[in-house]
Amino acid sequence: MLNLKKNLYIAGAFALCALAACSSDNPSSAGSTTMPNATAENSSSSEEVASSSSINSSEPKQDIFFATAATSVKKIAQGEVAIYGQEYGAEASCSAGKYASKKSYLARIHITEDNTMERTLSLGNFGSSCDSLLEAFKESCTSGLVNLVADANCSRNGNLKVFCYASNPTNDFDAIVDGFTEQSDAVCSTIADGVDSTEYDIPKSDPDSSIKANSGRVFIIEPNTTNLEVSDEERVTLDSLAAAFPQKIEYDEIDGMPLIFNMDAEYKFTTEGKKFILNEDDNTCTGSIYQEEFGVTRHIAKYGDWRSTNTTTLLVPDIGIVYLVNDGTGSAKEVFQAECEATNGSYYEYIEMAFGCAVKNFTGIPFETIVSEQETMSRNNFNILPEFTPRN
């Protein structure tokens, strides 16, 4: 794990070479690209305006997207840096490992027309290293007036997506890119540490006579019965199960800081899951099977990891099956709720993009059947995600 000081310097690349390194009163212009809108703001008075009024008037954002093709690409450890010279931006990405434990890093920088520096950081499966990188990112953002995405916290697995913006300290775009590349390479050179590449094959099985064919289902297994009767007593139990998985927070015993160990509509497994991966062209579904706890998780992404849907299925013996969804696409709710109600389940919405459903196990579906249905449901799940154009 990188120590905090090194992390601060690394994440400080998003603050443009720790500010001082890349910005002098007389930056070298030899072989460099100068941003036209930055030149007029090079005096101290202009910089003061840029770091206050222009940023205060900017609208908070969540991400950076580039509309043009990359003008050049640089290789870094485990990945690359794509440079978008026409838009004064760059994107660094790297990954290591396979399956549900795949570790990923994605960072972007962008100089806006009003000479504001925007930057994002996205981490996947970074574990405890995520916390120090987040703190370093926040620290780098204190160099100017910034806006940090609300509720930007590392998940239990070390997932993170955060955005901030501040005044641009230099008009030398090449120097900005060089610093960004160097620091991204430093993070990516360590990304393979502790990566789990264990593979697990989804068991194939003949269609289970106790359930209907789920060729059209995305989330919830359809029972092979026309009798979906649920008693009042059972409904109370199902309602309680559906609502039993809100965001959970623990507090550090030393400093009392809140520690989130699972988000809305998630379940914290205590055993080690067996990893699996399912591919279909540019679509990818990764997940884990928790045999001892009767649970399965899926992470559905389309054309990379731009948007994704996380699902959890829990078999509760002698009671029912719980389905949980964290929807990063904004397209799953309608389908999920319709499938829940069609199975006479109890639907519960935690927040706009996190919801649960508890269904009575009418025909006694075993855990092995739930696992074997994951491939069909994963492939169906691809169809509800928004379309994206794959990068060349």
Side-chain angles (χ1 to χ4, degrees):
M1 182 188 305
L2 301 174
N3 61 51
L4 182 57
K5 287 186 177 179
K6 188 175 181 181
N7 282 339
L8 179 58
Y9 181 61
I10 290 170
F14 307 108
L16 304 177
C17 315
L19 298 183
C22 292
S23 60
S24 63
D25 291 335
N26 297 291
S28 173
S29 59
S32 65
T33 302
T34 301
M35 291 166 287
N37 289 341
T39 306
E41 298 179 355
N42 207 30
S43 68
S44 59
S45 60
S46 296
E47 287 176 355
E48 183 178 351
V49 172
S51 64
S52 56
S53 61
S54 63
I55 293 175
N56 281 332
S57 62
S58 298
E59 290 295 328
K61 295 184 179 180
Q62 299 290 323
D63 210 341
I64 296 170
F65 297 100
F66 299 112
T68 60
T71 53
S72 63
V73 175
K74 297 182 178 183
K75 292 294 183 182
I76 58 175
Q78 321 285 348
E80 65 182 28
V81 174
I83 301 164
Y84 298 86
Q86 298 179 49
E87 299 179 72
Y88 297 108
E91 173 187 289
S93 61
C94 61
S95 62
K98 300 177 180 179
Y99 319 116
S101 62
K102 181 178 179 180
K103 203 172 179 181
S104 61
Y105 167 92
L106 177 65
R108 297 187 182 102
I109 56 173
H110 176 230
I111 311 298
T112 67
E113 292 183 356
D114 63 358
N115 202 31
T116 296
M117 166 60 75
E118 300 177 336
R119 43 196 196 275
T120 64
L121 174 63
S122 298
L123 304 176
N125 281 322
F126 257 70
S128 58
S129 299
C130 177
D131 294 317
S132 55
L133 284 171
L134 172 58
E135 289 306 311
F137 185 87
K138 290 180 178 179
E139 184 68 22
S140 73
C141 288
T142 62
S143 59
L145 296 176
V146 301
N147 192 304
L148 200 64
V149 172
D151 301 323
N153 294 293
C154 293
S155 71
R156 175 168 51 90
N157 294 329
N159 299 329
L160 171 71
K161 187 169 184 179
V162 66
F163 179 99
C164 76
Y165 62 113
S167 58
N168 177 25
T170 177
N171 64 350
D172 189 342
F173 180 64
D174 291 340
I176 292 172
V177 170
D178 288 344
F180 177 71
T181 301
E182 179 183 352
Q183 308 313 326
S184 296
D185 183 62
V187 175
C188 291
S189 65
T190 70
I191 199 171
D193 296 346
V195 165
D196 180 8
S197 59
T198 305
E199 181 177 5
Y200 181 72
D201 292 328
I202 291 285
K204 304 291 183 180
S205 64
D206 294 328
D208 194 319
S209 61
S210 67
I211 62 172
K212 292 183 179 180
N214 283 295
S215 59
R217 288 292 182 121
V218 176
F219 299 106
I220 299 171
I221 295 176
E222 183 177 5
N224 187 21
T225 178
T226 56
N227 180 11
L228 301 179
E229 183 176 337
V230 175
S231 68
D232 291 342
E233 182 179 357
E234 288 171 331
R235 178 62 66 193
V236 171
T237 300
L238 294 179
D239 287 347
S240 178
L241 275 176
F245 304 94
Q247 176 176 287
K248 300 293 177 62
I249 299 176
E250 290 179 344
Y251 291 88
D252 188 273
E253 295 180 358
I254 298 177
D255 57 19
M257 294 292 290
L259 304 173
I260 297 177
F261 66 82
N262 72 262
M263 305 296 285
D264 288 299
E266 286 186 0
Y267 177 78
K268 183 180 181 181
F269 291 98
T270 59
T271 58
E272 183 176 356
K274 294 182 179 180
K275 318 297 183 184
F276 67 83
I277 184 168
L278 302 167
N279 280 317
E280 182 178 347
D281 299 326
D282 290 309
N283 303 320
T284 301
C285 168
T286 57
S288 295
I289 299 170
Y290 299 86
Q291 184 76 39
E292 298 176 34
E293 299 179 77
F294 302 114
V296 183
T297 61
R298 288 186 292 151
H299 176 84
I300 309 293
K302 197 165 194 175
Y303 299 137
D305 200 21
W306 300 102
R307 291 185 184 177
S308 59
T309 298
N310 297 310
T311 69
T312 302
T313 306
L314 296 168
L315 173 62
V316 184
D318 303 321
I319 298 178
I321 306 172
V322 180
Y323 301 90
L324 305 170
V325 174
N326 257 282
D327 179 28
T329 69
S331 59
K333 178 181 175 181
E334 183 177 346
V335 175
F336 181 81
Q337 186 171 0
E339 290 186 1
C340 180
E341 293 174 351
T343 320
N344 204 11
S346 291
Y347 174 81
Y348 185 85
E349 185 172 326
Y350 295 91
I351 55 177
E352 184 179 359
M353 299 176 74
F355 19 86
C357 177
V359 174
K360 180 179 176 180
N361 195 355
F362 294 96
T363 52
I365 297 172
F367 182 64
E368 290 72 22
T369 298
I370 292 175
V371 172
S372 67
E373 286 290 310
Q374 295 303 306
E375 181 170 14
T376 297
M377 290 190 162
S378 293
R379 296 189 187 285
N380 292 343
N381 210 158
F382 294 140
N383 297 326
I384 71 168
L385 293 179
E387 292 289 340
F388 290 93
T389 302
R391 293 178 58 194
N392 295 325

